[in-house]
Amino acid sequence: MPGDERYVPHRDHLAGGTTVENYPAPAVEQMVPKKRTWLKPVIRLGIFGVVALIAFVFANPFTASSTEVGSCLKGDIDNADSVKNAECGTPDANFKVVGKQNGKSEIALRISGGLECDEYPNVDAYLFQGKKAATDGVLLCLEDLKNPGQRPPVVGDCLPGDADEAKKLAKVDCATAGYKVLAVEKKPAVAFEDTTCAQVPSTDAKLSWQRAGGALPQERVLCLDELK
């Protein structure tokens, strides 16, 4: 019958009356390669891991250790969880990193009041990140971009000739000024002898400047050249 395939033996008669039956060779089943189904869950797991890593990085983009000087931040530094990286020059940027120090402890910062950042002229605040009892934390010294504190005069600024007016540190045109700032030095915390401006030979007078208020105390000595 059509479609009914059977093996039909074929007989060959050999000399001497011997009969040999020949059977056709059985059909060879085509080998179909098996799909590696185990690859699918592995690939899916890998994709999920990459997506999770990207999501984690974007959800937690800020770490003090990876933040460099010159970077900008947004958020409230009194609430460390709210601090994120920000593009400088954008409305979201609240602070700019002007200094970075490693190997700091939170206890030492509380005692000093953040004086470690005093060496940076435009510093207004600081942000510490690290374990409470550890000494390997990271200190970021910050400039407040929205509400900057008072700034001392800089080298080259000129002050009025009247002593009382000069103490107000109001900058004036150097053509009519009485003093010119030659150097700005830090005032020693403890000193038995005042050596400020000793390395500025043209100094005729000295004035002290101290920040009024602000998150970080700051005090400087101005070395002045008398112009008149």
Side-chain angles (χ1 to χ4, degrees):
M1 293 180 64
D4 184 11
E5 296 184 358
R6 292 178 299 172
Y7 292 114
V8 179
H10 175 71
R11 293 181 175 85
D12 287 335
H13 298 278
L14 302 179
T18 303
T19 301
V20 178
E21 294 185 354
N22 294 327
Y23 290 87
V28 179
E29 183 179 357
Q30 187 177 0
M31 299 296 293
V32 179
K34 294 182 179 180
K35 296 182 179 179
R36 297 181 179 180
T37 55
W38 58 271
L39 283 176
K40 290 183 178 180
V42 172
I43 293 173
R44 289 173 182 168
L45 182 61
I47 294 174
F48 175 79
V50 172
V51 172
L53 178 61
I54 294 174
F56 176 81
V57 170
F58 278 94
N60 303 273
F62 169 77
T63 58
S65 59
S66 63
T67 301
E68 300 298 333
V69 173
S71 303
C72 290
L73 307 174
K74 63 180 179 180
D76 181 4
I77 59 173
D78 292 328
N79 179 12
D81 293 337
S82 71
V83 178
K84 307 292 181 184
N85 292 321
E87 185 177 351
C88 294
T90 62
D92 289 339
N94 295 336
F95 298 94
K96 185 175 183 178
V97 180
V98 296
K100 179 179 178 180
Q101 299 178 20
N102 297 314
K104 299 298 178 181
S105 71
E106 183 179 3
I107 296 175
L109 284 171
R110 291 184 181 276
I111 295 173
S112 69
L115 284 178
E116 290 84 349
C117 290
D118 187 53
E119 62 184 270
Y120 309 106
N122 292 336
V123 68
D124 296 300
Y126 69 86
L127 178 65
F128 172 81
Q129 191 172 64
K131 295 180 180 179
K132 190 170 184 179
T135 58
D136 59 351
V138 180
L139 172 67
L140 298 180
C141 304
L142 308 175
E143 176 186 0
D144 193 329
L145 299 176
K146 298 294 179 67
N147 300 293
Q150 290 180 316
R151 301 284 186 257
V154 298
V155 174
D157 284 349
C158 291
L159 306 176
D162 181 85
D164 292 333
E165 290 298 320
K167 289 179 181 178
K168 296 178 182 178
L169 303 177
K171 292 184 289 184
V172 298
D173 188 341
C174 290
T176 59
Y179 298 95
K180 187 174 184 178
V181 180
L182 297 177
V184 180
E185 299 186 357
K186 291 177 62 177
K187 188 172 183 179
V190 178
F192 297 101
E193 183 180 356
D194 186 4
T195 58
T196 54
C197 301
Q199 302 301 317
V200 187
S202 299
T203 299
D204 296 316
K206 295 189 293 185
L207 276 179
S208 293
W209 174 90
Q210 188 172 9
R211 189 206 305 267
L216 293 177
Q218 200 172 57
E219 191 171 2
R220 295 290 184 266
V221 175
L222 308 182
C223 308
L224 305 176
D225 177 23
E226 188 173 6
L227 300 178
K228 295 180 180 180

